[in-house]
Amino acid sequence: MDLWTQQFGLVDDCLRACVFGDYIWRQNPPEDSAWPALSDICYSDAIISWNQLFGQRSQETHWTKLVKNIEIPDGDNLKPFNKEMIITYLGITEAEWEAFHKLMVDSRNTRVAHLNVGFSINTLPNITKALHTAYLYRDWLTEALHLGNRIGYNINVSQDRAKDSVEKYRELIAKAYNGL
């Protein structure tokens, strides 16, 4: 599987898990139904897929592995994807980003992928920040493919934006939750 397909797959996994988990949680489902457990599964998937993209740079699927190979021609409107872009988009400080990033990585390492009962996590990560990070990156990936077409590649690029994917996921989970 090529790196582009991996990136879109992971970012869509993260978006879908965030949307599904959030939707279920907001419905306040009965404790004796499957929905709370499904919401937990979605939360775990969001943490894992987010970490595969934004966690540790040693991950083969970390966003830096893809963007370092993209040369943006002078004068093009596409801005390089970087941490500063994420921080600006989220409207947080670098210290807040570092704290969120550490919490996401620690949650993945000690609660989701592995269970380390000796490691205390008093607050779980804000899934909304994970959603917005993936949202920004998905739209950037789409724009990077459009850049490829501008410089002469023949790439079939979907016109779907992150907002379209999020809306589709909201519709899907609402139908499922309501038995449609």
Side-chain angles (χ1 to χ4, degrees):
M1 180 183 305
D2 70 273
L3 195 52
W4 285 94
T5 302
Q6 288 173 341
Q7 297 292 290
F8 273 103
L10 290 171
V11 80
D12 283 341
D13 284 351
C14 186
L15 288 171
R16 184 176 44 250
C18 289
V19 170
F20 283 12
D22 180 67
Y23 182 90
I24 295 167
W25 179 81
R26 289 179 186 276
Q27 303 313 302
N28 196 23
E31 288 296 320
D32 62 348
S33 72
W35 292 108
L38 290 170
S39 183
D40 286 349
I41 291 167
C42 291
Y43 187 83
S44 295
D45 186 40
I47 296 223
I48 289 172
S49 56
W50 187 93
N51 269 281
Q52 289 171 323
L53 291 167
F54 301 102
Q56 298 179 359
R57 287 179 183 253
S58 60
Q59 290 273 53
E60 290 182 30
T61 54
H62 194 274
W63 64 268
T64 56
K65 304 286 194 280
L66 177 95
V67 301
K68 73 179 181 182
N69 296 320
I70 298 173
E71 293 184 33
I72 301 172
D74 289 338
D76 196 271
N77 289 333
L78 183 66
K79 303 291 184 237
F81 192 84
N82 55 38
K83 181 172 70 171
E84 289 73 29
M85 182 184 282
I86 297 169
I87 290 169
T88 300
Y89 186 78
L90 294 178
I92 60 177
T93 65
E94 185 162 352
E96 290 170 320
W97 168 256
E98 295 300 330
F100 172 70
H101 186 272
K102 181 178 182 338
L103 185 56
M104 288 291 283
V105 171
D106 287 348
S107 295
R108 181 246 177 238
N109 291 344
T110 63
R111 287 295 181 269
V112 178
H114 311 283
L115 183 58
N116 181 345
V117 294
F119 191 89
S120 178
I121 295 180
N122 298 321
T123 304
L124 291 173
N126 179 331
I127 210 70
T128 302
K129 286 181 184 171
L131 172 80
H132 287 290
T133 307
Y135 191 102
L136 172 68
Y137 187 51
R138 189 185 194 291
D139 276 350
W140 187 88
L141 287 169
T142 300
E143 287 304 315
L145 290 177
H146 285 295
L147 167 65
N149 283 334
R150 288 192 298 275
I151 62 175
Y153 293 96
N154 186 20
I155 304 168
N156 185 11
V157 183
S158 170
Q159 295 307 309
D160 286 353
R161 305 294 296 190
K163 68 180 175 86
D164 301 318
S165 294
V166 166
E167 184 56 36
K168 178 179 81 175
Y169 298 145
R170 283 190 180 126
E171 290 172 8
L172 288 172
I173 191 61
K175 286 180 182 178
Y177 193 84
N178 293 306
L180 302 174

